Amino acid sequence: MVPGRPAGHGAPRVLAQARWPEPGDGPPPPLPGFVHSAFAPLVAAAAGRCLERRPSPVPAGARCAVVLVSAAGDRPSATHVRSTVAAGGRVGPLFFFQSVPNSVAGQVAARWGLTGPVVCLSPTGDPRADAIAEGELLLYDGDADEALLVLIEEAPDATPTGAVAVLLGGGDSQ
């Protein structure tokens, strides 16, 4: 038995996976309402591709959680806001909501009709392990029937380099 996993519950199943970019991809498609940074478009592109790869339609009433995992969130946008304010400039209104990482997670949920919880994590250890642990918690606590995990990384210069999405379903007891 895995600590924290209820008896009788197997590990969650991976239902679909995707990343952006994959071979042949260019930049992610623009995401209306998000400017300046590739962070939100990368999250949305990887999430959408993963959900398109779901092997079967979602059963009526199923709840899918969105779990966004990023060590620093949208750092390029945060840096832009900080430098604009420091220079006495005016920050555009789009940066108000864009600066909160769960805004793109909520946009993914709304776009795809996902009705489970939306959670953002800043990992303290291995990002994938932290994401899976959160997904398992949501599945086995009954908060969701599926969990869409989206992990986004940044290059040393804080430029987002890509996103990975994994759709989890319940373990062998579901």
Side-chain angles (χ1 to χ4, degrees):
M1 183 169 136
V2 174
R5 183 180 300 149
H9 286 277
R13 293 169 294 151
V14 173
L15 303 175
Q17 299 185 73
R19 66 177 46 249
W20 196 286
E22 290 182 351
D25 287 338
L31 191 60
F34 293 87
V35 296
H36 184 75
S37 166
F39 182 89
L42 282 167
V43 169
R49 182 174 274 168
C50 184
L51 291 167
E52 287 171 349
R53 292 178 178 170
R54 176 188 268 137
S56 58
V58 182
R63 295 158 300 144
C64 182
V66 179
V67 179
L68 176 60
V69 180
S70 177
D74 186 353
R75 226 180 336 186
S77 291
T79 300
H80 170 74
V81 168
R82 182 174 50 252
S83 63
T84 300
V85 170
R90 183 171 180 218
V91 178
L94 289 178
F95 285 102
F96 176 73
F97 81 91
Q98 181 175 316
S99 65
V100 181
N102 67 357
S103 62
V104 71
Q107 194 275 354
V108 166
R111 175 185 243 176
W112 288 89
L114 308 178
T115 59
V118 172
V119 178
C120 292
L121 297 177
S122 181
T124 57
D126 173 52
R128 189 173 177 107
D130 285 359
I132 290 171
E134 183 68 22
E136 281 186 328
L137 179 65
L138 293 166
L139 292 171
Y140 298 123
D141 276 356
D143 294 323
D145 304 298
E146 296 177 341
L148 175 64
L149 315 176
V150 183
L151 297 90
I152 185 165
E153 300 176 17
E154 292 181 322
D157 67 355
T159 303
T161 57
V164 174
V166 179
L167 182 63
L168 298 179
D172 53 18
S173 68
Q174 290 192 350

